[in-house]
Amino acid sequence: MTISITPAASQRMRHFLDQTPTAPGVRFGVKRTGCSGFAYVVDLADAVAADDQVIEIDGLSVVVDAKSLPLVDGTVIDFQRQGLNASFVFHNPNATGECGCGESFTVG
């Protein structure tokens, strides 16, 4: 299981974790939604469940649920600013297509 985080994404995640020091890490996964099937979820983790995998990346704990693991394996998480907009950007080798708005993706 590999997930990579760019320095920009790491800095953004650390900013949120610094504001909520009781959070055990950042939760990364997917949920069924959108016009293509799955959407990414990045949020502070409330807790770590028994079937979660915790990945340590440069001192950051990334919590991934068991159902999301095969869908996000190999993903690079970036954070980009474009004008007034700022968002996490995902480079997922498992995604075979994305919707036009970039909010959801499909797999094999």
Side-chain angles (χ1 to χ4, degrees), residues 19-107:
Q19 294 178 2
T20 311
T22 58
V26 174
R27 181 163 294 281
F28 175 54
V30 297
K31 64 179 179 178
R32 285 202 167 274
T33 189
C35 48
S36 288
F38 295 99
Y40 296 103
V41 176
V42 178
D43 204 352
L44 294 176
D46 294 329
V48 177
D51 63 344
D52 285 340
Q53 182 167 343
V54 180
I55 304 161
E56 294 293 327
I57 304 170
D58 295 328
L60 261 174
S61 295
V62 179
V63 182
V64 184
D65 66 273
K67 290 181 182 179
S68 296
L69 281 172
L71 300 172
V72 299
D73 187 23
T75 298
V76 176
I77 305 171
D78 193 8
F79 183 77
Q80 297 180 352
R81 293 184 185 276
Q82 294 179 343
L84 297 176
N85 298 320
S87 63
F88 287 104
V89 178
F90 308 95
H91 306 283
N92 185 344
N94 302 303
T96 57
E98 295 180 345
C99 69
C101 64
E103 293 292 319
S104 60
F105 69 99
T106 56
V107 293

